[in-house]
């Protein structure tokens, strides 16, 4: 174990690299980085906030020399604690490198592709591409508002966009530690940036390269096969999931086992026409049939298809209202500021014992009650009529194709649909968007009557018909609240539960996961294993290959936290 003197020396070296004010050693200041967005927390010797890619490299050099653990962290929006320490049973001190000050996004090939630096965000990417008539590879999910581009790649995130699939690239710039403990920089961006790490990182940071330096190798900058995969509705495997070996490649799916500086990704033209259809029914088999018909028979794939159960609709309406209003009135760019403000308020409130836990959430919840109903009347009418809600977005020729299909389909099937106005469409998607945070707020506001939260994101086989969960009584009786939402075309569901008081949430979760195993489902689907799930053998082998000394983010997927992957008993 590194001595206190060595720790102090390391901290001084880090301060000389990034500046005194950007090395955090005070526990209260470190907490936003050492505690997960929803799950997990631990301790770190220091948190550093470099301003350049070169500063990250220099910090890595001194951390490797000091034989400490490094956790690379971007927005820290994950739900399984994968970008924070977990517990106190590590065999070396931990340094967290927060990349969020390095948020540049560079356009290449007339904005057909981008290079996102370590702390760049999807919000920033949307704004950067908008003037060029292009769209990102992914859109922000309800559970990870404010997420980073690199974080999405490292965690196989997302897949709400049916035509594009999960975040994926084979083109990235990263640092790696080999079996001998040597740190090296690997440039697979397809851009000539120089020879030494210092040249490569500085040239990229300053965009000191020409169009002639940009090459187009036979490497993917997106999952360009996903549209074919999702159409195979008879396959007995899921369309996408975290442990999918076909999409584990260097930085993609690395879960922090590499130090990723930048990624290169495809962008997409903004469609000339789009339309949101709001579908309601009381029979989940109806949605299963629609899903199957659209994916297997339509000439045009949908843009997205976001499912929301009535109970989740209600929870999102009540407990996600403040987030909805902030985005609707102020714009998505304000969300990171809102979360930073919440963390500050909660940190201050912890010093006053008479104030309740999660004080900021309580304040925002009470304030949101002062605002009138924010949801469109036709959505509210469907809430009263239907248990199952599906927000289907189509583009270009797919708009007419979907309208003709829905008109004919609902002549003989349970349910109905309406074509959203632009305002209704935006609010329907936003309502689904804020659902991810609703369960946490609900539990906070009703903590005296409710038990622990338990969440699962699961990918069902593409041929699964009984997608809507029906729990056996012995499990159902232990749960106070169930909230279901998800990406129905991809058969990825987010299933959120609040236990009754005194119920062991982990035990209930294990029982539910056993039912998924029997059905051929995969989990987690898109949030990565973090510190909540066990990494399966293939994923564990991938991690070991990337990081043989286990110096980057050890313990991920409930693996060893010790150097060289030793187990504590060894």
């Amino acid at each position: 174990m590194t001595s206190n003197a060595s720790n102090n020396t390391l901290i001084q070296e880090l301060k000389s690299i990034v500046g005194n004010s950007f090395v955090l050693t005070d526990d209260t200041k470190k907490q936003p980085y050492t505690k997960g967005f929803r799950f997990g927390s631990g301790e770190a010797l220091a948190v550093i906030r470099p301003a350049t890619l070169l500063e990250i490299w220099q910090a890595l050099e001194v951390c490797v020399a000091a034989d400490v653990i490094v956790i690379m962290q971007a927005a820290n929006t994950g739900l399984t604690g994968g970008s924070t320490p977990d517990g106190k049973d590590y065999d070396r001190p931990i340094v967290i490198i927060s990349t969020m000050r390095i948020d540049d996004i560079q356009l290449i090939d007339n904005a057909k592709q981008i290079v996102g630096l370590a702390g760049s965000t999807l919000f920033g990417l949307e704004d950067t591409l908008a003037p060029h008539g292009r769209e990102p590879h992914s859109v922000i999910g309800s559970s990870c508002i404010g997420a980073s581009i690199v974080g999405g790649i490292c965690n196989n995130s997302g897949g709400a966009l049916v035509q594009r699939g999960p975040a994926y690239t084979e083109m990235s710039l990263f640092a790696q530690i080999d079996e001998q403990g040597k740190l090296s920089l690997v440039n697979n961006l397809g851009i000539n940036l120089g020879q030494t790490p210092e040249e490569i990182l500085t040239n990229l940071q300053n965009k000191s390269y020409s169009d002639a330096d940009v090459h187009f190798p036979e490497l993917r900058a997106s999952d360009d096969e996903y549209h074919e995969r999702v159409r195979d509705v008879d396959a007995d495997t899921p369309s996408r999931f975290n442990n999918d070996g076909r999409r584990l490649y260097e930085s993609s799916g690395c879960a922090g086992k590499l130090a990723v500086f930048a990624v290169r990704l495809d962008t997409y033209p903004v469609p000339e026409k789009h339309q949101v259809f709001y579908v309601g029914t009381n029979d989940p088999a109806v949605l299963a049939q629609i899903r199957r018909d659209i994916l297997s028979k339509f000439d045009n794939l949908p843009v997205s298809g976001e499912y929301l159960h009535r109970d989740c609709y209600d929870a999102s309406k009540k407990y996600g209202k403040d987030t909805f209003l902030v985005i609707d009135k102020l714009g998505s760019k304000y969300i990171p500021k809102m979360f930073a403000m919440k963390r500050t308020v909660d940190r201050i409130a912890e010093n006053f014992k008479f104030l309740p836990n999660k004080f900021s959430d309580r304040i925002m919840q009470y304030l949101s009650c002062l605002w009138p109903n924010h949801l469109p009347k036709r959505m509210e009418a469907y809430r009263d009529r239907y248990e199952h809600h599906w927000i289907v977005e189509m583009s270009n020729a797919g708009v007419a194709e979907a309208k003709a299909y829905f008109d004919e389909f609902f002549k003989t099937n349970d349910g109905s649909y309406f074509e959203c106005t632009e305002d209704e469409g935006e609010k329907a998607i936003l309502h689904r968007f804020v659902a991810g945070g609703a369960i946490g707020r609900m539990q906070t506001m009703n903590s005296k009557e409710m038990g622990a939260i338990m969440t699962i994101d699961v990918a069902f086989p593409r041929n699964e018909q009984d997608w809507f969960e029906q729990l056996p009584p012995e499990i159902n009786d232990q749960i106070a609240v169930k909230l279901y939402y998800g990406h129905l075309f991809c058969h990825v569901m987010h299933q959120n539960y609040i236990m009754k008081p005194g119920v062991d949430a982990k035990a209930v979760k294990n029982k539910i996961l056993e039912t998924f195993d029997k059905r051929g489902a995969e989990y987690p689907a898109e949030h990565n294993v973090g510190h909540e799930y066990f990494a399966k053998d293939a994923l564990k082998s991938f991690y070991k290959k990337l990081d043989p000394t286990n110096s980057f983010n050890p313990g991920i997927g409930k693996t060893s936290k010790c150097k060289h992957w030793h187990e504590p008993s060894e």
Side-chain angles (χ1 to χ4, degrees):
M1 185 65 69
T2 307
S3 67
N4 289 334
S6 297
N7 289 344
N8 291 334
T9 299
L10 174 60
I11 289 171
Q12 292 305 313
E13 289 179 321
L14 293 173
K15 286 182 177 179
S16 70
I17 294 169
V18 304
N20 289 355
S21 59
F22 295 107
V23 177
L24 312 180
T25 56
D26 180 78
D27 286 343
T28 57
K29 293 181 178 180
K30 289 187 293 184
Q31 188 185 63
Y33 307 90
T34 58
K35 186 175 183 179
F37 179 69
R38 185 186 290 177
F39 177 90
S41 64
E43 296 179 352
L45 174 66
V47 176
I48 69 168
R49 302 181 60 235
T52 68
L53 298 176
L54 183 56
E55 286 183 1
I56 294 179
W57 173 259
Q58 292 169 335
L60 289 174
E61 287 185 308
V62 300
C63 287
V64 171
D67 194 24
V68 299
I69 289 167
V70 173
I71 296 178
M72 299 291 293
Q73 184 185 96
N76 191 19
T77 59
L79 300 189
T80 57
S83 59
T84 62
D86 181 61
K88 303 178 181 180
D89 54 339
Y90 295 86
D91 65 343
R92 293 150 289 169
I94 297 171
V95 171
I96 297 173
I97 300 180
S98 172
T99 63
M100 295 306 289
R101 294 177 67 205
I102 311 170
D103 59 358
D104 190 30
I105 296 170
Q106 301 174 4
L107 304 179
I108 56 178
D109 192 22
N110 296 315
K112 293 179 182 177
Q113 290 186 329
I114 64 98
V115 174
L117 301 195
S120 56
T121 66
L122 284 176
F123 283 144
L125 182 54
E126 289 177 0
D127 291 342
T128 300
L129 291 176
H132 302 273
R134 308 288 294 185
E135 292 181 333
H137 61 291
S138 300
V139 295
I140 286 290
S142 61
S143 53
C144 50
I145 296 172
S148 73
I149 296 171
V150 169
I153 292 295
C154 294
N155 292 296
N156 300 113
S157 297
L161 299 180
V162 180
Q163 301 166 13
R164 302 174 197 173
Y168 179 75
T169 188
E170 296 168 359
M171 308 176 77
S172 60
L173 174 66
F174 57 87
Q176 187 171 24
I177 301 174
D178 65 17
E179 292 182 5
Q180 287 70 45
K182 181 183 177 181
L183 180 73
S184 62
L185 187 69
V186 180
N187 179 14
N188 284 339
L189 280 176
I191 304 174
N192 291 332
L193 295 166
Q195 299 300 318
T196 68
E198 291 75 15
E199 288 176 337
I200 292 169
L201 297 170
T202 301
N203 287 335
L204 179 60
Q205 183 92 50
N206 298 331
K207 204 181 180 185
S208 298
Y209 58 88
S210 67
D211 290 344
D213 292 317
V214 180
H215 301 287
F216 296 88
E218 293 295 321
L219 294 172
R220 291 186 173 91
S222 63
D223 187 353
D224 57 1
E225 297 174 334
Y226 186 74
H227 63 284
E228 298 174 358
R229 186 174 178 84
V230 76
R231 281 187 179 276
D232 188 359
V233 294
D234 293 316
D236 59 2
T237 57
S239 58
R240 59 182 175 88
F241 54 97
N242 190 256
N243 191 42
D244 187 357
R246 59 186 284 276
R247 287 299 174 255
L248 297 175
Y249 187 94
E250 296 180 343
S251 63
S252 292
C254 73
K257 304 304 288 183
L258 300 171
V260 182
F261 292 86
V263 294
R264 180 172 166 180
L265 300 167
D266 291 329
T267 70
Y268 302 84
V270 175
E272 296 178 2
K273 182 180 182 181
H274 73 93
Q275 176 66 53
V276 174
F277 298 92
Y278 201 95
V279 178
T281 182
N282 289 309
D283 184 358
V286 166
L287 299 189
Q289 187 61 52
I290 294 173
R291 170 187 172 274
R292 187 176 183 84
D293 289 345
I294 290 179
L295 291 179
S296 63
K297 299 178 181 178
F298 273 35
D299 292 331
N300 304 276
L301 278 175
V303 174
S304 64
E306 296 298 288
Y307 169 77
L308 202 66
H309 185 266
R310 176 190 280 156
D311 292 343
C312 191
Y313 180 108
D314 293 344
S316 184
K317 176 182 176 181
K318 182 174 182 179
Y319 297 105
K321 186 176 182 180
D322 56 315
T323 304
F324 181 106
L325 293 172
V326 167
I327 297 173
D328 187 47
K329 305 301 180 184
L330 300 178
S332 59
K333 289 189 294 186
Y334 192 78
I335 289 296
K337 297 178 182 178
M338 184 182 80
F339 280 135
M341 182 175 63
K342 284 175 79 283
R343 286 194 295 264
T344 300
V345 169
D346 287 337
R347 189 169 65 245
I348 295 172
E350 287 177 356
N351 296 321
F352 300 91
K353 294 183 179 180
F354 62 89
L355 292 177
N357 185 38
K358 296 187 178 180
F359 186 58
S360 65
D361 279 291
R362 298 175 186 275
I363 292 175
M364 295 178 72
Q365 183 61 36
Y366 290 131
L367 289 176
S368 70
C369 294
L370 302 176
W371 197 271
N373 188 0
H374 56 293
L375 297 179
K377 292 182 179 179
R378 287 201 289 181
M379 281 177 58
E380 291 285 75
Y382 265 48
R383 181 264 166 227
D384 293 339
R385 290 173 61 187
Y386 299 119
E387 180 181 359
H388 304 284
H389 299 239
W390 200 10
I391 306 158
V392 177
E393 184 177 2
M394 303 294 297
S395 64
N396 296 333
V399 174
E401 192 173 22
K403 177 174 170 50
Y405 171 82
F406 286 137
D407 284 341
E408 187 65 26
F409 182 85
F410 283 115
K411 289 179 180 178
T412 56
N413 290 279
D414 175 78
S416 60
Y417 85 101
F418 65 85
E419 296 179 72
C420 295
T421 64
E422 184 174 352
D423 180 68
E424 286 174 329
E426 290 176 354
K427 289 183 175 178
I429 292 172
L430 182 53
H431 184 57
R432 158 65 184 89
F433 175 84
V434 301
I439 188 168
R441 177 70 62 79
M442 174 186 277
Q443 197 268 351
T444 296
M445 300 304 296
N446 300 277
S447 57
K448 294 182 179 179
E449 298 84 27
M450 294 180 176
I453 291 177
M454 185 263 287
T455 66
I456 300 174
D457 71 303
V458 57
F460 291 113
R462 284 165 280 175
N463 63 356
E464 175 66 76
Q465 292 294 310
D466 298 324
W467 60 273
F468 186 70
E469 183 172 72
Q470 299 292 336
L471 292 172
E474 61 269 19
I475 296 178
N476 197 60
D477 291 347
Q478 300 183 72
I479 300 172
V481 175
K482 295 177 293 186
L483 301 181
Y484 298 125
Y485 58 93
H487 319 295
L488 194 53
F489 282 117
C490 304
H491 253 356
V492 168
M493 293 297 296
H494 300 291
Q495 307 194 160
N496 300 264
Y497 315 84
I498 304 179
M499 301 297 109
K500 292 180 179 179
V503 172
D504 185 341
K506 289 185 178 180
V508 173
K509 183 170 187 173
N510 288 335
K511 290 180 181 179
I512 294 176
L513 294 181
E514 287 176 5
T515 69
F516 293 161
D517 291 336
K518 294 176 181 178
R519 297 167 64 184
E522 292 279 356
Y523 52 86
E526 59 184 12
H527 290 157
N528 213 327
V529 289
H531 290 289
E532 190 170 6
Y533 295 92
F534 283 95
K536 294 183 179 180
D537 288 342
L539 189 58
K540 186 175 179 179
S541 296
F542 177 64
Y543 292 159
K544 285 186 173 183
K545 181 179 178 181
L546 295 180
D547 182 21
T549 66
N550 205 21
S551 296
F552 285 132
N553 204 16
I556 200 77
K558 297 186 181 293
T559 58
S560 169
K561 295 179 179 178
C562 298
K563 192 171 181 178
H564 294 295
W565 298 85
H566 293 310
E567 297 297 337
S569 59
E570 295 180 0

